[in-house]
Amino acid sequence: MENKQDKKMSGDKLITIAIHTYEKAVILKTLLEREGIEAVIHNVNLIQPVISSGVRVRIHERDLPMALRIIETAGSADLDHGKENNTVLIPVDFSDYSMKACVLGFDFAYRMRGEAMLLYSYLKAPYSDIMPFDSDEYEATDFVADDSTIEKVANEKMDNFANAIKRKIAAGQLADVKFTTVITEGIPENAILDYSKEVEPKVIVMGTRGKTKKELIGSVTAEVLDAGKFPVLTVPENVGISSIGEVKNVVFFSTLRQQDMLSFESFASILGELRIKVTIIPVVDRKHIHDYDHAVALLLDYCRSRFEGVEFESRYIDDKDFVAGFDQYAKVNEVDLILIPNKKKNIFMRLFNPSVAHKILFITDTPMLVVPF
């Protein structure tokens, strides 16, 4: 039976362009979307919880001619050996919480044998050359008169920050990985989104100021979470870990849909072979899910069979205010990391019906790893 979510992609018919293993299906989906063709992965087996060779890649019928040309040009080698980009993109604004983001970002890059890329964007006059990533206010304290001076100041700040990074690497306070710096002009969230499309990072690591200082509208991190196409790790100012290896207790927000399984595959590829405990917390009202207990049991069976060495359990937060209820749960249970599959929304939905990831961002001091779908 056709997935109802697939039908919502567009008003026209969806067709299957290929059937592959999960790994090849993801590579093909990436190749198609890189050329502007919307694609979905469908048909994960819920009855026998494994990801098999029967994973479909589906596209709009109108895109079939272009898709066939892309597949013919790419050839089987691209599907068998998809280019692995282990770049970790770290937007910075030279603050203390940007440095904390670098600690986890460099650790990620080291574990993936990749490299880090520091990105800073500045605004030309009459705005300040400093715009913190978690503020919707333009600060005027660093105002300078002309564009050339603004660019010069931006370069000086980045040089100083890069030198501080090198000193921390030499002192053993940061993982020793290759890193590059990029400075661009523009609004921070637009610069991050545009540059991520160019470099296609494995993950974007962004520092946040902490729950007492966040603003709901105008947060650059929230915009990147809800509009971006790549996984994002948020690092709060008061984060309690300094290495991914310290992560032991993880929460996975689930909608009890097939997409959750594919999202968890993405999480696993980023986190690596960590020995962790994962608590699956459905973000749905159990009264609205037919045979809720059976659905949760199937998801647990799938995860346990797919990821050996990881301990899985489930927990239902029965609270009228889910966000507040989870905040209390996270404190009591000392959660190290939150995993969130995040459905992208248009601008109106983001303003008037923010995602769970968007809401949780503003109440927690726990890092979040968010994968869009």
Side-chain angles (χ1 to χ4, degrees):
M1 185 174 67
E2 187 173 61
N3 191 322
K4 292 181 180 180
Q5 183 178 343
D6 290 348
K7 292 181 179 180
K8 294 180 181 178
M9 282 178 61
S10 177
D12 64 337
K13 182 180 178 182
L14 286 173
I15 61 173
T16 298
I17 188 67
I19 299 176
H20 285 302
T21 61
Y22 169 75
E23 290 78 9
K24 288 188 178 181
V26 170
I27 295 171
L28 177 56
K29 181 176 183 290
T30 301
L31 288 174
L32 293 172
E33 290 183 339
R34 189 178 299 163
E35 300 299 327
I37 296 178
E38 190 175 7
V40 294
I41 295 176
H42 183 220
N43 209 36
V44 177
N45 193 339
L46 282 173
I47 304 303
Q48 308 222 342
V50 294
I51 290 183
S52 66
S53 59
V55 177
R56 303 178 191 175
V57 180
R58 312 190 74 199
I59 62 171
H60 297 299
E61 188 174 32
R62 65 174 184 264
D63 293 326
L64 180 59
M66 182 181 293
L68 290 175
R69 287 197 297 271
I70 293 171
I71 293 173
E72 183 178 357
T73 301
S76 59
D78 285 306
L79 295 182
D80 291 330
H81 307 287
K83 183 180 179 181
E84 184 72 11
N85 186 354
N86 286 337
T87 298
V88 176
L89 180 62
I90 311 175
V92 298
D93 62 4
F94 316 127
S95 62
D96 290 341
Y97 58 91
S98 281
M99 184 60 76
K100 289 190 176 183
C102 288
V103 172
L104 285 183
F106 276 55
D107 186 57
F108 253 125
Y110 180 81
R111 290 171 181 274
M112 296 186 298
R113 298 180 181 179
E115 61 182 61
M117 180 176 292
L118 308 182
L119 173 65
Y120 172 65
S121 65
Y122 64 90
L123 293 173
K124 292 183 178 180
Y127 300 110
S128 163
D129 71 315
I130 292 294
M131 182 180 178
F133 283 111
D134 257 340
S135 174
D136 59 351
E137 297 180 359
Y138 295 87
E139 297 182 4
T141 54
D142 293 307
F143 176 78
V144 286
D146 60 86
D147 294 346
S148 61
T149 306
I150 292 175
E151 185 175 358
K152 179 181 177 181
V153 171
N155 279 281
E156 290 176 351
K157 289 179 179 293
M158 179 61 89
D159 287 342
N160 291 336
F161 193 77
N163 288 333
I165 291 285
K166 293 174 182 178
R167 289 194 295 270
K168 287 183 176 293
I169 291 176
Q173 298 172 344
L174 277 177
D176 188 0
V177 297
K178 178 183 177 181
F179 73 95
T180 55
T181 61
V182 177
I183 298 176
T184 184
E185 187 273 328
I187 298 173
E189 57 265 42
N190 293 343
I192 297 166
L193 292 171
D194 290 343
Y195 210 79
S196 65
K197 293 177 184 177
E198 180 178 338
V199 302
E200 298 183 352
K202 183 79 170 182
V203 63
I204 302 172
V205 180
M206 298 187 67
T208 62
R209 281 192 166 186
K211 63 184 180 181
T212 61
K213 301 178 183 178
K214 297 190 178 84
E215 299 291 341
L216 183 59
I217 303 298
S219 167
V220 176
T221 304
E223 286 298 310
V224 175
L225 284 178
D226 283 348
K229 295 183 178 180
F230 299 93
V232 177
L233 174 70
T234 67
V235 183
E237 185 179 25
N238 299 318
V239 61
I241 60 174
S242 58
S243 167
I244 300 302
E246 296 176 20
V247 172
K248 302 299 180 186
N249 193 7
V250 175
V251 161
F252 175 46
F253 285 165
S254 172
T255 58
L256 299 182
R257 296 178 181 175
Q258 290 181 348
Q259 182 63 46
D260 288 357
M261 296 183 180
L262 301 181
S263 295
F264 201 89
E265 291 282 338
S266 297
F267 291 132
S269 70
I270 296 172
L271 294 177
E273 298 180 359
L274 294 179
R275 295 286 177 173
I276 56 178
K277 173 185 175 183
V278 177
T279 300
I280 298 174
I281 297 182
V283 289
V284 295
D285 189 335
R286 65 190 309 163
K287 294 181 293 186
H288 297 159
I289 300 294
H290 176 68
D291 204 352
Y292 170 90
D293 292 335
H294 181 61
V296 172
L298 284 176
L299 182 57
L300 285 172
D301 287 345
Y302 162 77
C303 290
R304 288 165 179 162
S305 65
R306 181 70 176 171
F307 305 101
E308 296 182 3
V310 179
E311 178 185 350
F312 288 93
E313 66 177 28
S314 66
R315 172 70 178 265
Y316 182 77
I317 296 182
D318 188 9
D319 197 299
K320 293 182 179 179
D321 186 345
F322 176 86
V323 173
F326 172 74
D327 187 36
Q328 181 62 28
Y329 171 87
K331 292 175 181 176
V332 173
N333 292 275
E334 298 181 346
V335 175
D336 300 315
L337 182 67
I338 305 168
L339 306 180
I340 303 181
N342 193 37
K343 185 176 181 180
K344 292 184 292 183
K345 300 181 179 181
N346 62 38
I347 185 63
F348 297 105
M349 287 294 287
R350 280 187 274 142
L351 286 174
F352 298 108
N353 186 23
S355 67
V356 171
H358 198 155
K359 294 176 181 178
I360 293 294
L361 172 66
F362 299 105
I363 61 94
T364 185
D365 282 323
T366 304
M368 297 193 310
L369 181 56
V370 181
V371 171
F373 67 92

